[in-house]
């Protein structure tokens, strides 16, 4: 999510956040730091785990890296979160169109209401209704 002078600049239907889920956080930070010049800042999430914020200019983060256990059955992946005005309504629309709820919905303190979905073809994506107090 990007803010300009404190205002959220993503709009309904636009890409809001990206999240890399991987067990090799250091390797990912090394690669993407060298490829794109990204910088990373550690932040503790509500579970007490370290969540790495990704920034392109050192100011506002546009994504994060979530550490997953090495024995996770899921392969490392990027999840794209799109700005949506009403997560709960969007869940119902997804279910009505043969999609699935993969995880959530849930409130993330200082971020907003998020859900991870799968469309009828198996493509995974996230939705977020940003909170007014989101830090970025």
């Amino acid at each position: 999510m990007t803010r300009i002078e404190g205002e959220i600049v993503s709009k309904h239907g636009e890409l809001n956040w990206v999240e890399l889920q991987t067990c090799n956080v250091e390797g990912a930070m090394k690669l993407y730091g060298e490829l794109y010049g990204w910088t990373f800042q550690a932040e503790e999430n509500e579970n007490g785990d370290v969540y790495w914020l990704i920034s392109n200019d050192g100011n506002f983060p546009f994504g994060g890296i979530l550490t997953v256990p090495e024995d996770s059955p899921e392969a490392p992946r990027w999840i794209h979160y799109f700005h949506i005005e009403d997560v709960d309504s969007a869940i119902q629309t997804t279910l009505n169109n043969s999609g699935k709820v993969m995880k959530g919905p849930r409130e993330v303190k200082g971020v907003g209401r998020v859900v991870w979905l799968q469309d009828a073809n198996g493509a995974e994506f996230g939705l977020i209704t940003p909170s007014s107090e989101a830090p970025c």
Side-chain angles (χ1 to χ4, degrees):
M1 170 187 343
T2 303
R3 285 183 180 262
I4 296 178
E5 296 180 15
E7 296 296 317
I8 297 171
V9 295
S10 68
K11 297 177 188 147
H12 179 85
E14 293 180 344
L15 186 62
N16 179 275
W17 191 258
V18 294
E19 180 177 86
L20 174 60
Q21 300 174 352
T22 181
C23 62
N24 184 2
V25 172
E26 289 192 24
M29 290 191 299
K30 183 176 183 328
L31 171 65
Y32 296 115
E34 289 180 19
L35 279 175
Y36 306 121
W38 291 352
T39 58
F40 307 92
Q41 179 181 341
E43 179 175 288
E44 190 174 301
N45 67 19
E46 69 260 12
N47 298 326
D49 299 321
V50 174
Y51 187 81
W52 291 92
L53 298 175
I54 305 170
S55 176
N56 203 25
D57 57 11
N59 290 320
F60 298 109
F62 62 85
I65 302 176
L66 178 68
T67 305
V68 296
E70 286 191 30
D71 61 352
S72 173
E74 302 293 336
R77 62 180 150 214
W78 283 96
I79 299 293
H80 299 79
Y81 288 87
F82 296 91
H83 184 135
I84 195 85
E85 294 299 324
D86 182 353
V87 161
D88 297 303
S89 176
I91 291 169
Q92 193 57 53
T93 299
T94 302
L95 295 172
N96 291 345
N97 285 278
S98 303
K100 297 179 188 176
V101 175
M102 303 300 290
K103 189 174 185 180
R106 68 187 184 104
E107 296 292 331
V108 178
K109 184 179 178 186
V111 173
R113 188 157 175 80
V114 298
V115 67
W116 182 10
L117 302 168
Q118 185 180 73
D119 71 16
N121 296 312
E124 296 174 353
F125 62 101
L127 298 176
I128 182 168
T129 299
S131 162
S132 61
E133 59 271 349
C136 50

